[in-house]
Amino acid sequence: MDLYIYYRVAPTQAQALHGRLKAVQTVLQARFGIAGGLKRRPGEQDGLQTWMEVYEHIAAPRATEFTRALELALEDAGIPALISGPRHVEQFEDVASCA
């Protein structure tokens, strides 16, 4: 399974958000062996940037554990206070896994 999580952030919060997210991703990679990616849509819309976290190749048996650990780590790092609005979490699996 892969997780794609996107949300909006004010440019004034971008530097703080980046630092905290990379710290969270480093801890999760050490614990679960899952490297997180971080992307940003070019430009701004309504004065906000759109950011996306990407976590790929999460083994099914550990997906729930990883997702819970991610949510707790983001909360502990104060990430919700740095973003504007909700986080949108999308889960995708390889097509071969569905057949």
Side-chain angles (χ1 to χ4, degrees):
M1 179 186 67
D2 299 336
L3 287 178
Y4 299 89
I5 305 166
Y6 61 96
Y7 43 84
R8 306 203 45 199
V9 60
T12 56
Q13 299 293 352
Q15 185 174 1
L17 178 63
H18 183 259
R20 292 184 195 187
L21 276 173
K22 294 312 284 182
V24 165
Q25 289 179 334
T26 298
V27 168
L28 290 174
Q29 183 173 6
R31 182 173 169 194
F32 292 94
I34 298 168
L38 186 57
K39 299 179 181 291
R40 187 185 79 180
R41 181 177 286 147
E44 297 176 7
Q45 184 179 26
D46 301 324
L48 297 171
Q49 300 172 354
T50 302
W51 285 38
M52 178 179 284
E53 298 167 47
V54 178
Y55 303 93
E56 297 180 309
H57 311 297
I58 305 167
R62 298 200 74 194
T64 300
E65 181 184 1
F66 177 81
T67 302
R68 285 188 189 140
L70 172 61
E71 292 300 323
L72 289 172
L74 293 173
E75 189 70 37
D76 288 348
I79 300 298
L82 297 175
I83 66 173
S84 180
R87 296 171 66 246
H88 303 279
V89 180
E90 301 285 343
Q91 298 179 357
F92 286 82
E93 58 186 15
D94 291 334
V95 174
S97 300
C98 301

